[in-house]
Amino acid sequence: MNLIRTSFLLLSFFFATSSIKSQELVKSPAPFGPLPTQKQLDWQEMEFYAFVHFSLNTFTNKEWGYGDESPALFNPTHLDVRQWARVVKEAGMKGIILVAKHHDGFCLWPSAYTERSVKNSPWENGKGDLVKELAAACKEYHLKLGLYLSPWDRNHPDYGKPEYITYFRNQLKELLTNYGDVFEMWFDGANGGDGYYGGANETRKINSLEYYNWDETYKLIYKIAPKTLVWGVGPSEARWIGNEEGRAGKTNWSLLRQKDELAGKVHYTEFMSGHEDGERWVPGEADVSIRPGWFYHAVEDDKVRPLDEMVDIYYESIGRNATLLLNLPVDRRGLVHENDVTRLKELVATIQADFKTELLAKSKVTANNVRGNSAEFAAKNVIDGNKETFWATDDNVKTASIEFVFDQPTAIDRILLQEYIKLGQRVKAFTVEAKVNGLWKTIANETTIGYKRILRLDRVVASALRINITDSKAGLVISNIQAYNAPTFVRAPEIQHDKNGTVTITSEPGNSIYYTVDGKKPTLKSKLYQGTFTYNEAVQIKAIAINNEENISSAVNTAKYGISKEKWKVLSVSGGDLKTVNRIIDGNPNTDWGFGNASDKLPLEITLDMGAILKIKGFTYVPQQVGNNLNLISNYEFYTSTDAVNWTRQSEGEFSNIRNNPIEQFKVFKEVKTRYLRFVAVSAVGKGQAVSIAEINVIE
Ligand code: FUL
């Protein structure tokens, strides 16, 4: 008995010490640098979620309300939040962030702290609560709910004073306690400016870093809603990606020098790539609307972003270590518009086809360094489909290669890589090589990986694949590597129409282009494009490109043009360079005209002659498209006249949000007959006097 007991003790001692030893020998890699919290990890894994902008602006046709619009205007005819949830769920998105209050202060829930809400709208006889309805729909469809509460309130009389902060926090409390879990709280960066402010109609500038006392506000949020991730201004847990086009930088660190940012020392363009030396984990979220505007405008029904662009957005957000927040501007019925639903389905179908069959799982995988030669950190962990296992190298081994050998030559054009970010983001540079016909060739030379990096590559038929990490902050910890052979994606052709009505259609070399001018869908039987042609009347051109080798068609590109601007003339202009002013009517959005010489003072006035009387129902202003510090117009007036003597003002106001989203600005009014147009740039974004115009168009 004693003997047995003694040997048992000895044995257990032996096993205990040996397992301690092996643990000592091959410890898991230590975390490196700033780390994500569990909340941030869960959020990152959502990857793709929806934004909904739907409020008074939907009914006033604005992007930013001034704050004086009546709540009675909020009157959707067929509101169905379950339709939103269905569309979102079917697209594989994981949640919806609803704009509960935009800059005009109108609340989609019956806040106890204001009369400016759905309770004073005809919708559901003032008994409705949109946040509640959406929370229920999200629950039903297993989606997470997020909320946007605009810190800037152009309606509130106390905006700019301490009293407003109490109001703002009270509303936060309502939103974070009455509707269940909120996965993300969204605080927009647009803060302070002109507004109604309870009738004061003035400009109120605030210092957004100080006024809101974000530290206190964040404390309050975490106290009542610890599961909520806070985005945007203040010491946030995720950052804006620096543009409203949904594109992250190729290099994208989930780190940020947030202290510098909070001291106002970081330019927003740096958000696209984060900071390699950031002291905090603040990952990027790429936000973009499926249409040009964030709110619904009927005039944009045919301006839903083309499939090519949506696919690019997917690869340049989720494929570049960011999450993708895609806005669906709900229309006046209260539904996601059919055109948006169609495009979303096309996007999802394309992405699903791209990632249909994974090709590395069956390959033979080896690495030239494995941490402690331990099976626990072996190369094969990157193909086991388990996100908790990883290939790791020895500490300080910052360059290493992992190789995948196929049974037979395999066609590949996508590679997906993931670091095990629980232990930090490490990789600074890597290359990809493919063995083609017995020879290694480099097919990619890239920088960061992070949570997820997807490469779109020209197709190769390879017998083996090698990933070389060429620079890293610390030993490597890679959890997943995949490869796919996505179908050839043929980009839709580009259509251009110049001032003289000349139409040029272009596509990638080797493709054929077919087009129609009668609104019908082009097919292989339509007209083959063989060079430029001229169209002076209003025309709708639809074109497809065909990849001849594989006989694959692109999506249809539709371009609508009004009558050509051939007869247009600039009659007068109150400053700027007269020699180049024709650029604003040359039909080319990439050439712009600048106003802002030393002697130029706003307002700028331009008078145009269209050469004939036409019926128009609006105009558009295309701002300068090229560059970083664009000279943008913020406020305008627009007049029409049939004789250039008597003028009628048709529209005036602001180009809201143009700073963040400098796209073509649409302004509609009641149809009017006119020959002459007068466009007045009243003020510029920022303090300067410099503005520029790429194009002025009319809406017929
Ligand atoms: C911007 C806002 O000003 C826009 O109106 C929109 O809400 C967008 C998501 O953020 O900065």
Side-chain angles (χ1 to χ4, degrees):
M1 195 56 180
N2 258 353
L3 191 71
I4 294 173
R5 210 172 150 234
T6 317
S7 33
F8 175 75
L9 278 176
L10 272 173
L11 265 179
S12 20
F13 176 74
F14 174 76
F15 279 121
T17 45
S18 69
S19 73
I20 285 170
K21 256 195 188 149
S22 76
Q23 262 178 29
E24 260 173 17
L25 275 176
V26 199
K27 273 194 288 185
S28 206
F32 184 88
L35 301 177
T37 59
Q38 189 59 44
K39 195 204 291 183
Q40 287 169 317
L41 286 169
D42 294 344
W43 170 88
Q44 187 93 49
E45 284 178 7
M46 287 176 70
E47 292 191 3
F48 188 21
Y49 40 94
F51 218 173
V52 171
H53 279 68
F54 174 57
S55 188
L56 280 180
N57 291 341
T58 313
F59 299 89
T60 56
N61 215 5
K62 291 184 191 171
E63 277 291 294
W64 283 5
Y66 188 68
D68 59 350
E69 304 79 7
S70 164
L73 295 170
F74 185 79
N75 194 14
T77 49
H78 298 85
L79 181 66
D80 180 6
V81 287
R82 295 178 69 246
Q83 184 248 4
W84 313 359
R86 214 161 41 239
V87 168
V88 167
K89 186 75 189 180
E90 281 169 8
M93 294 192 246
K94 299 292 189 306
I96 303 179
I97 300 183
L98 174 69
V99 176
K101 180 185 94 166
H102 201 249
H103 310 328
D104 60 57
F106 178 72
C107 301
L108 294 185
W109 79 104
S111 169
Y113 302 97
T114 181
E115 289 305 303
R116 192 169 173 72
S117 82
V118 280
K119 71 183 170 203
N120 285 312
S121 79
W123 175 62
E124 294 188 358
N125 296 320
K127 300 276 178 298
D129 182 340
L130 195 47
V131 179
K132 193 168 162 194
E133 286 193 14
L134 185 62
C138 282
K139 215 168 178 186
E140 183 184 339
Y141 285 87
H142 302 287
L143 294 166
K144 292 186 182 178
L145 174 75
L147 295 169
Y148 169 132
L149 181 72
S150 171
W152 183 22
D153 191 321
R154 299 174 99 184
N155 169 268
H156 205 282
D158 290 336
Y159 184 78
K161 302 183 196 147
E163 288 82 350
Y164 172 74
I165 301 303
T166 309
Y167 172 77
F168 179 63
R169 290 186 185 156
N170 281 336
Q171 293 202 320
L172 263 179
K173 274 189 231 159
E174 286 184 313
L175 291 177
L176 292 172
T177 45
N178 295 341
Y179 301 101
D181 289 344
V182 173
F183 83 93
E184 180 169 335
M185 192 70 229
W186 221 86
F187 293 135
D188 189 59
N191 279 297
D194 61 346
Y196 175 69
Y197 304 124
N201 294 310
E202 59 190 14
T203 297
R204 294 189 182 169
K205 291 250 151 68
I206 53 106
N207 176 338
S208 112
L209 294 171
E210 285 164 15
Y211 175 54
Y212 297 96
N213 191 347
W214 288 115
D215 285 338
E216 282 309 309
T217 306
Y218 275 56
K219 265 191 221 152
L220 169 97
I221 297 172
Y222 295 142
K223 206 167 128 208
I224 53 180
K227 289 189 199 154
T228 300
L229 175 139
V230 191
W231 179 98
V233 272
S236 66
E237 296 164 274
R239 65 173 203 268
W240 183 38
I241 209 68
N243 60 70
E244 294 189 352
E245 296 292 314
R247 318 269 181 147
K250 272 183 155 205
T251 298
N252 186 12
W253 291 98
S254 289
L255 312 177
L256 194 69
R257 291 195 299 270
Q258 197 171 55
K259 281 190 197 133
D260 283 356
E261 191 219 340
L262 293 173
K265 290 187 200 152
V266 173
H267 191 258
Y268 69 84
T269 46
E270 294 169 46
F271 291 159
M272 273 183 88
S273 294
H275 294 137
E276 184 180 329
D277 59 351
E279 80 283 352
R280 194 171 173 214
W281 189 274
V282 190
E285 176 189 82
D287 61 327
V288 63
S289 184
I290 199 162
R291 294 171 175 232
W294 291 99
F295 284 93
Y296 175 82
H297 310 288
V299 73
E300 292 180 358
D301 280 353
D302 59 2
K303 296 212 160 41
V304 180
R305 286 182 200 264
L307 178 61
D308 300 31
E309 205 179 322
M310 294 306 300
V311 172
D312 286 348
I313 286 171
Y314 184 90
Y315 280 105
E316 293 182 22
S317 56
I318 295 173
R320 289 185 178 173
N321 191 32
T323 59
L324 173 56
L325 172 58
L326 176 66
N327 183 60
L328 304 170
V330 163
D331 65 18
R332 287 188 182 176
R333 292 170 302 174
L335 301 173
V336 182
H337 191 274
E338 292 75 356
N339 296 0
D340 305 33
V341 175
T342 305
R343 188 54 35 80
L344 193 55
K345 283 193 173 149
E346 289 169 359
L347 169 69
V348 173
T350 306
I351 298 301
Q352 278 173 353
D354 285 4
F355 297 99
K356 196 162 161 222
T357 314
E358 204 288 310
L359 301 166
L360 297 185
K362 289 197 199 121
S363 67
K364 267 217 312 273
V365 48
T366 51
N368 63 0
N369 181 286
V370 170
R371 191 174 179 79
N373 284 322
S374 157
E376 201 185 336
F377 305 115
K380 70 170 174 25
N381 290 342
V382 303
I383 55 167
D384 68 357
N386 180 348
K387 64 178 181 160
E388 291 305 326
T389 62
F390 46 82
W391 163 52
T393 59
D394 289 321
D395 288 337
N396 299 321
V397 173
K398 301 176 188 169
T399 58
S401 299
I402 185 164
E403 196 172 310
F404 305 85
V405 179
F406 299 112
D407 280 351
Q408 55 192 39
T410 303
I412 284 173
D413 61 8
R414 298 282 184 281
I415 292 181
L416 182 155
L417 305 105
Q418 294 188 279
E419 285 186 78
Y420 187 73
I421 55 168
K422 264 189 196 173
L423 298 176
Q425 187 181 353
R426 300 157 179 241
V427 174
K428 286 165 59 166
F430 68 99
T431 62
V432 182
E433 290 174 281
K435 198 171 190 180
V436 180
N437 296 329
L439 291 175
W440 284 105
K441 75 178 207 189
T442 303
I443 55 171
N445 197 338
E446 297 291 337
T447 54
T448 53
I449 297 176
Y451 165 72
K452 188 175 269 188
R453 184 71 204 276
I454 310 174
L455 307 178
R456 282 189 285 183
L457 305 166
D458 288 340
R459 184 172 299 127
V460 287
V461 179
S463 57
L465 204 67
R466 189 153 67 198
I467 316 274
N468 309 299
I469 309 290
T470 52
D471 197 4
S472 173
K473 288 180 166 183
L476 311 176
V477 189
I478 310 285
S479 68
N480 187 26
I481 303 180
Q482 301 179 336
Y484 296 87
N485 182 30
T488 301
F489 186 80
V490 185
R491 304 185 76 87
E494 283 187 21
I495 309 174
Q496 271 167 349
H497 184 252
D498 74 8
K499 181 177 185 275
N500 303 322
T502 310
V503 179
T504 313
I505 315 182
T506 46
S507 174
E508 283 150 355
N511 293 349
S512 305
I513 298 167
Y514 295 88
Y515 69 97
T516 62
V517 289
D518 57 3
K520 291 208 181 106
K521 197 177 165 195
T523 64
L524 291 176
K525 291 196 186 119
S526 308
K527 243 190 186 149
L528 176 70
Y529 175 78
Q530 282 171 316
T532 54
F533 57 92
T534 304
Y535 239 93
N536 281 320
E537 305 97 78
V539 64
Q540 186 180 32
I541 302 168
K542 292 190 176 202
I544 49 168
I546 304 286
N547 172 310
N548 292 324
E549 216 173 293
E550 295 185 58
N551 205 15
I552 300 177
S553 170
S554 73
V556 178
N557 186 7
T558 305
K560 257 192 188 170
Y561 298 105
I563 50 116
S564 76
K565 289 177 174 170
E566 203 182 15
K567 294 198 207 121
W568 284 37
K569 277 196 191 83
V570 178
L571 291 186
S572 68
V573 57
S574 65
D577 181 5
L578 280 176
K579 278 190 237 115
T580 52
V581 71
N582 277 333
R583 286 184 192 160
I584 70 173
I585 52 168
D586 67 358
N588 183 354
N590 296 320
T591 58
D592 56 76
W593 172 78
F595 170 92
N597 297 329
S599 58
D600 292 341
K601 287 255 160 341
L602 292 174
L604 151 72
E605 202 177 276
I606 301 174
T607 307
L608 303 172
D609 176 4
M610 298 194 290
I613 293 201
L614 291 177
K615 280 191 200 151
I616 67 166
K617 44 181 193 261
F619 79 97
T620 82
Y621 156 52
V622 183
Q624 187 179 11
Q625 295 296 295
V626 191
N628 245 340
N629 291 315
L630 305 179
N631 296 323
L632 304 165
I633 299 169
S634 65
N635 286 70
Y636 73 93
E637 289 168 8
F638 191 83
Y639 300 81
T640 58
S641 166
T642 46
D643 55 10
V645 178
N646 299 304
W647 292 92
T648 312
R649 188 166 64 202
Q650 301 294 352
S651 175
E652 66 174 324
E654 68 181 5
F655 297 120
S656 313
N657 202 29
I658 193 167
R659 184 203 292 263
N660 291 331
N661 202 13
I663 55 172
E664 182 170 15
Q665 308 287 311
F666 290 82
K667 295 291 171 185
V668 286
F669 40 78
K670 239 175 110 202
E671 189 169 87
V672 56
K673 278 190 184 160
T674 185
R675 169 170 172 172
Y676 302 95
L677 311 172
R678 180 166 289 160
F679 177 69
V680 183
V682 178
S683 57
V685 166
K687 291 191 196 103
Q689 296 288 308
V691 296
S692 80
I693 302 173
E695 211 67 22
I696 297 288
N697 296 313
V698 289
I699 304 172
E700 287 164 80

